[in-house]
Amino acid sequence: MHIRAMPTAAAVRITAVLALGAVIAAGTAACSTEKTAEPDAIGVVEKLPDDTDKAQSKKNAQEFRSWVEEHGTAQQKSAAGRVDRILGEWNDKTGNAYIATDINGGKKPAADPQGAATAIAKAFASWKDSDQGYASVYDVYGNAMLTNYKF
């Protein structure tokens, strides 16, 4: 004769809680409600934040490229042509700029992607002199190439 043990009420509750926890963990790993990138513990934003005003960010990039064309070095002029959009807010005292480029993509690959990112950040620093501002440069995929360059 075979006797089958019935699960206790506590065992059923524990199983239900574990199953619910697995469903919640799977659901949150697959999606997020965040709209913008958040800085990590040291203030680095690894992914380009969402562009909430594309017209303004394109206008910022055009003004930047025009300034660099008039005042920049040869390397800065070459690199500034890769700037597509400039997001963020800055003024004469503080701010953060997120610079979207076509580096690692675009029509012509950059011979020195890191050098181009650095030239863009340096040109931005010359364009927007600030007490506490930072510029970050992102490649065509929205990945950080250079972060928190002081301007």
PDB file of all heavy atoms in Angstrom, residues 37 45-49 85 99-104 137-145:
ATOM      1  N   ALA A  37      18.668  58.188 -18.584  1.00  0.00           N
ATOM      2  CA  ALA A  37      19.783  57.499 -17.947  1.00  0.00           C
ATOM      3  C   ALA A  37      20.069  58.145 -16.604  1.00  0.00           C
ATOM      4  O   ALA A  37      19.951  59.348 -16.442  1.00  0.00           O
ATOM      5  CB  ALA A  37      21.013  57.579 -18.836  1.00  0.00           C
ATOM      6  N   VAL A  45      27.147  59.035 -16.547  1.00  0.00           N
ATOM      7  CA  VAL A  45      25.967  58.584 -17.279  1.00  0.00           C
ATOM      8  C   VAL A  45      26.477  57.786 -18.478  1.00  0.00           C
ATOM      9  O   VAL A  45      27.007  58.347 -19.429  1.00  0.00           O
ATOM     10  CB  VAL A  45      25.088  59.777 -17.734  1.00  0.00           C
ATOM     11  CG1 VAL A  45      23.901  59.297 -18.539  1.00  0.00           C
ATOM     12  CG2 VAL A  45      24.629  60.588 -16.530  1.00  0.00           C
ATOM     13  N   GLU A  46      26.353  56.464 -18.403  1.00  0.00           N
ATOM     14  CA  GLU A  46      26.924  55.569 -19.414  1.00  0.00           C
ATOM     15  C   GLU A  46      26.153  55.554 -20.729  1.00  0.00           C
ATOM     16  O   GLU A  46      26.706  55.233 -21.758  1.00  0.00           O
ATOM     17  CB  GLU A  46      27.014  54.147 -18.867  1.00  0.00           C
ATOM     18  CG  GLU A  46      28.056  53.975 -17.782  1.00  0.00           C
ATOM     19  CD  GLU A  46      29.479  54.165 -18.271  1.00  0.00           C
ATOM     20  OE1 GLU A  46      29.775  53.868 -19.439  1.00  0.00           O
ATOM     21  OE2 GLU A  46      30.311  54.620 -17.469  1.00  0.00           O
ATOM     22  N   LYS A  47      24.857  55.857 -20.694  1.00  0.00           N
ATOM     23  CA  LYS A  47      24.031  55.867 -21.904  1.00  0.00           C
ATOM     24  C   LYS A  47      23.487  57.267 -22.117  1.00  0.00           C
ATOM     25  O   LYS A  47      23.141  57.963 -21.163  1.00  0.00           O
ATOM     26  CB  LYS A  47      22.853  54.896 -21.776  1.00  0.00           C
ATOM     27  CG  LYS A  47      23.251  53.431 -21.762  1.00  0.00           C
ATOM     28  CD  LYS A  47      23.901  52.998 -23.034  1.00  0.00           C
ATOM     29  CE  LYS A  47      22.981  52.189 -23.901  1.00  0.00           C
ATOM     30  NZ  LYS A  47      23.547  51.850 -25.186  1.00  0.00           N
ATOM     31  N   LEU A  48      23.401  57.682 -23.366  1.00  0.00           N
ATOM     32  CA  LEU A  48      22.870  58.994 -23.716  1.00  0.00           C
ATOM     33  C   LEU A  48      21.442  59.126 -23.197  1.00  0.00           C
ATOM     34  O   LEU A  48      20.605  58.258 -23.458  1.00  0.00           O
ATOM     35  CB  LEU A  48      22.899  59.157 -25.240  1.00  0.00           C
ATOM     36  CG  LEU A  48      22.404  60.487 -25.783  1.00  0.00           C
ATOM     37  CD1 LEU A  48      23.374  61.607 -25.413  1.00  0.00           C
ATOM     38  CD2 LEU A  48      22.261  60.407 -27.296  1.00  0.00           C
ATOM     39  N   PRO A  49      21.140  60.188 -22.446  1.00  0.00           N
ATOM     40  CA  PRO A  49      19.770  60.376 -21.959  1.00  0.00           C
ATOM     41  C   PRO A  49      18.792  60.579 -23.115  1.00  0.00           C
ATOM     42  O   PRO A  49      19.196  60.934 -24.227  1.00  0.00           O
ATOM     43  CB  PRO A  49      19.861  61.653 -21.116  1.00  0.00           C
ATOM     44  CG  PRO A  49      21.312  61.810 -20.787  1.00  0.00           C
ATOM     45  CD  PRO A  49      22.052  61.205 -21.943  1.00  0.00           C
ATOM     46  N   ARG A  85      23.701  66.137 -31.995  1.00  0.00           N
ATOM     47  CA  ARG A  85      22.802  66.818 -31.050  1.00  0.00           C
ATOM     48  C   ARG A  85      23.551  67.093 -29.756  1.00  0.00           C
ATOM     49  O   ARG A  85      24.473  66.363 -29.409  1.00  0.00           O
ATOM     50  CB  ARG A  85      21.589  65.933 -30.718  1.00  0.00           C
ATOM     51  CG  ARG A  85      20.704  65.655 -31.902  1.00  0.00           C
ATOM     52  CD  ARG A  85      19.621  64.622 -31.600  1.00  0.00           C
ATOM     53  NE  ARG A  85      20.228  63.303 -31.426  1.00  0.00           N
ATOM     54  CZ  ARG A  85      19.938  62.461 -30.439  1.00  0.00           C
ATOM     55  NH1 ARG A  85      19.053  62.751 -29.537  1.00  0.00           N
ATOM     56  NH2 ARG A  85      20.548  61.295 -30.360  1.00  0.00           N
ATOM     57  N   ILE A  99      26.581  65.076 -25.409  1.00  0.00           N
ATOM     58  CA  ILE A  99      26.841  65.341 -26.816  1.00  0.00           C
ATOM     59  C   ILE A  99      26.727  64.053 -27.620  1.00  0.00           C
ATOM     60  O   ILE A  99      27.531  63.135 -27.455  1.00  0.00           O
ATOM     61  CB  ILE A  99      28.240  65.974 -26.990  1.00  0.00           C
ATOM     62  CG1 ILE A  99      28.343  67.241 -26.115  1.00  0.00           C
ATOM     63  CG2 ILE A  99      28.508  66.275 -28.447  1.00  0.00           C
ATOM     64  CD1 ILE A  99      29.739  67.810 -25.986  1.00  0.00           C
ATOM     65  N   ALA A 100      25.711  64.007 -28.493  1.00  0.00           N
ATOM     66  CA  ALA A 100      25.476  62.839 -29.348  1.00  0.00           C
ATOM     67  C   ALA A 100      26.237  63.030 -30.655  1.00  0.00           C
ATOM     68  O   ALA A 100      26.161  64.089 -31.280  1.00  0.00           O
ATOM     69  CB  ALA A 100      23.983  62.693 -29.631  1.00  0.00           C
ATOM     70  N   THR A 101      26.978  61.997 -31.067  1.00  0.00           N
ATOM     71  CA  THR A 101      27.792  62.067 -32.286  1.00  0.00           C
ATOM     72  C   THR A 101      27.503  60.863 -33.181  1.00  0.00           C
ATOM     73  O   THR A 101      26.768  59.957 -32.798  1.00  0.00           O
ATOM     74  CB  THR A 101      29.300  62.060 -31.942  1.00  0.00           C
ATOM     75  OG1 THR A 101      29.657  60.762 -31.478  1.00  0.00           O
ATOM     76  CG2 THR A 101      29.647  63.108 -30.900  1.00  0.00           C
ATOM     77  N   ASP A 102      28.127  60.868 -34.355  1.00  0.00           N
ATOM     78  CA  ASP A 102      28.058  59.699 -35.236  1.00  0.00           C
ATOM     79  C   ASP A 102      29.355  58.883 -35.182  1.00  0.00           C
ATOM     80  O   ASP A 102      29.623  58.066 -36.052  1.00  0.00           O
ATOM     81  CB  ASP A 102      27.727  60.107 -36.668  1.00  0.00           C
ATOM     82  CG  ASP A 102      28.881  60.798 -37.378  1.00  0.00           C
ATOM     83  OD1 ASP A 102      29.900  61.133 -36.734  1.00  0.00           O
ATOM     84  OD2 ASP A 102      28.763  61.024 -38.595  1.00  0.00           O
ATOM     85  N   ILE A 103      30.144  59.099 -34.136  1.00  0.00           N
ATOM     86  CA  ILE A 103      31.395  58.346 -33.974  1.00  0.00           C
ATOM     87  C   ILE A 103      31.062  56.860 -33.852  1.00  0.00           C
ATOM     88  O   ILE A 103      30.104  56.485 -33.197  1.00  0.00           O
ATOM     89  CB  ILE A 103      32.181  58.835 -32.738  1.00  0.00           C
ATOM     90  CG1 ILE A 103      32.628  60.286 -32.950  1.00  0.00           C
ATOM     91  CG2 ILE A 103      33.383  57.932 -32.468  1.00  0.00           C
ATOM     92  CD1 ILE A 103      33.271  60.916 -31.726  1.00  0.00           C
ATOM     93  N   ASN A 104      31.876  56.022 -34.486  1.00  0.00           N
ATOM     94  CA  ASN A 104      31.690  54.564 -34.572  1.00  0.00           C
ATOM     95  C   ASN A 104      30.516  54.206 -35.477  1.00  0.00           C
ATOM     96  O   ASN A 104      29.925  53.146 -35.362  1.00  0.00           O
ATOM     97  CB  ASN A 104      31.523  53.909 -33.198  1.00  0.00           C
ATOM     98  CG  ASN A 104      32.781  53.981 -32.376  1.00  0.00           C
ATOM     99  OD1 ASN A 104      33.875  54.047 -32.921  1.00  0.00           O
ATOM    100  ND2 ASN A 104      32.639  53.997 -31.074  1.00  0.00           N
ATOM    101  N   VAL A 137      30.537  62.804 -24.037  1.00  0.00           N
ATOM    102  CA  VAL A 137      30.416  62.550 -25.471  1.00  0.00           C
ATOM    103  C   VAL A 137      30.003  61.092 -25.675  1.00  0.00           C
ATOM    104  O   VAL A 137      30.583  60.190 -25.063  1.00  0.00           O
ATOM    105  CB  VAL A 137      31.744  62.847 -26.207  1.00  0.00           C
ATOM    106  CG1 VAL A 137      31.615  62.576 -27.693  1.00  0.00           C
ATOM    107  CG2 VAL A 137      32.180  64.295 -25.946  1.00  0.00           C
ATOM    108  N   TYR A 138      29.017  60.892 -26.566  1.00  0.00           N
ATOM    109  CA  TYR A 138      28.454  59.567 -26.809  1.00  0.00           C
ATOM    110  C   TYR A 138      28.601  59.187 -28.276  1.00  0.00           C
ATOM    111  O   TYR A 138      28.508  60.039 -29.161  1.00  0.00           O
ATOM    112  CB  TYR A 138      26.965  59.554 -26.416  1.00  0.00           C
ATOM    113  CG  TYR A 138      26.785  59.835 -24.952  1.00  0.00           C
ATOM    114  CD1 TYR A 138      26.749  61.137 -24.477  1.00  0.00           C
ATOM    115  CD2 TYR A 138      26.708  58.801 -24.038  1.00  0.00           C
ATOM    116  CE1 TYR A 138      26.616  61.400 -23.126  1.00  0.00           C
ATOM    117  CE2 TYR A 138      26.574  59.050 -22.681  1.00  0.00           C
ATOM    118  CZ  TYR A 138      26.531  60.356 -22.232  1.00  0.00           C
ATOM    119  OH  TYR A 138      26.417  60.610 -20.897  1.00  0.00           O
ATOM    120  N   ASP A 139      28.814  57.893 -28.526  1.00  0.00           N
ATOM    121  CA  ASP A 139      28.939  57.419 -29.902  1.00  0.00           C
ATOM    122  C   ASP A 139      27.565  57.294 -30.558  1.00  0.00           C
ATOM    123  O   ASP A 139      26.535  57.627 -29.956  1.00  0.00           O
ATOM    124  CB  ASP A 139      29.732  56.107 -29.966  1.00  0.00           C
ATOM    125  CG  ASP A 139      29.011  54.906 -29.361  1.00  0.00           C
ATOM    126  OD1 ASP A 139      27.813  54.998 -29.015  1.00  0.00           O
ATOM    127  OD2 ASP A 139      29.652  53.849 -29.251  1.00  0.00           O
ATOM    128  N   VAL A 140      27.543  56.815 -31.789  1.00  0.00           N
ATOM    129  CA  VAL A 140      26.313  56.714 -32.568  1.00  0.00           C
ATOM    130  C   VAL A 140      25.283  55.788 -31.908  1.00  0.00           C
ATOM    131  O   VAL A 140      24.086  55.926 -32.126  1.00  0.00           O
ATOM    132  CB  VAL A 140      26.637  56.269 -34.018  1.00  0.00           C
ATOM    133  CG1 VAL A 140      27.082  54.817 -34.051  1.00  0.00           C
ATOM    134  CG2 VAL A 140      25.478  56.511 -34.953  1.00  0.00           C
ATOM    135  N   TYR A 141      25.734  54.883 -31.067  1.00  0.00           N
ATOM    136  CA  TYR A 141      24.835  53.939 -30.391  1.00  0.00           C
ATOM    137  C   TYR A 141      24.375  54.440 -29.023  1.00  0.00           C
ATOM    138  O   TYR A 141      23.652  53.744 -28.320  1.00  0.00           O
ATOM    139  CB  TYR A 141      25.528  52.577 -30.244  1.00  0.00           C
ATOM    140  CG  TYR A 141      25.997  52.040 -31.564  1.00  0.00           C
ATOM    141  CD1 TYR A 141      27.349  52.026 -31.878  1.00  0.00           C
ATOM    142  CD2 TYR A 141      25.088  51.587 -32.520  1.00  0.00           C
ATOM    143  CE1 TYR A 141      27.790  51.552 -33.112  1.00  0.00           C
ATOM    144  CE2 TYR A 141      25.519  51.112 -33.747  1.00  0.00           C
ATOM    145  CZ  TYR A 141      26.873  51.098 -34.037  1.00  0.00           C
ATOM    146  OH  TYR A 141      27.296  50.645 -35.249  1.00  0.00           O
ATOM    147  N   GLY A 142      24.814  55.631 -28.627  1.00  0.00           N
ATOM    148  CA  GLY A 142      24.424  56.194 -27.339  1.00  0.00           C
ATOM    149  C   GLY A 142      25.278  55.729 -26.176  1.00  0.00           C
ATOM    150  O   GLY A 142      24.937  55.945 -25.025  1.00  0.00           O
ATOM    151  N   ASN A 143      26.422  55.121 -26.468  1.00  0.00           N
ATOM    152  CA  ASN A 143      27.339  54.662 -25.422  1.00  0.00           C
ATOM    153  C   ASN A 143      28.361  55.752 -25.103  1.00  0.00           C
ATOM    154  O   ASN A 143      28.885  56.397 -26.007  1.00  0.00           O
ATOM    155  CB  ASN A 143      28.074  53.396 -25.858  1.00  0.00           C
ATOM    156  CG  ASN A 143      27.117  52.262 -26.124  1.00  0.00           C
ATOM    157  OD1 ASN A 143      26.203  52.010 -25.354  1.00  0.00           O
ATOM    158  ND2 ASN A 143      27.313  51.584 -27.241  1.00  0.00           N
ATOM    159  N   ALA A 144      28.653  55.923 -23.833  1.00  0.00           N
ATOM    160  CA  ALA A 144      29.604  56.953 -23.411  1.00  0.00           C
ATOM    161  C   ALA A 144      31.002  56.647 -23.933  1.00  0.00           C
ATOM    162  O   ALA A 144      31.483  55.532 -23.822  1.00  0.00           O
ATOM    163  CB  ALA A 144      29.619  57.056 -21.892  1.00  0.00           C
ATOM    164  N   MET A 145      31.622  57.662 -24.504  1.00  0.00           N
ATOM    165  CA  MET A 145      33.011  57.556 -24.944  1.00  0.00           C
ATOM    166  C   MET A 145      33.913  58.367 -24.016  1.00  0.00           C
ATOM    167  O   MET A 145      35.049  58.003 -23.771  1.00  0.00           O
ATOM    168  CB  MET A 145      33.153  58.086 -26.371  1.00  0.00           C
ATOM    169  CG  MET A 145      32.371  57.273 -27.378  1.00  0.00           C
ATOM    170  SD  MET A 145      32.789  57.779 -29.046  1.00  0.00           S
ATOM    171  CE  MET A 145      34.494  57.279 -29.124  1.00  0.00           C
TER     172      MET A 145
END
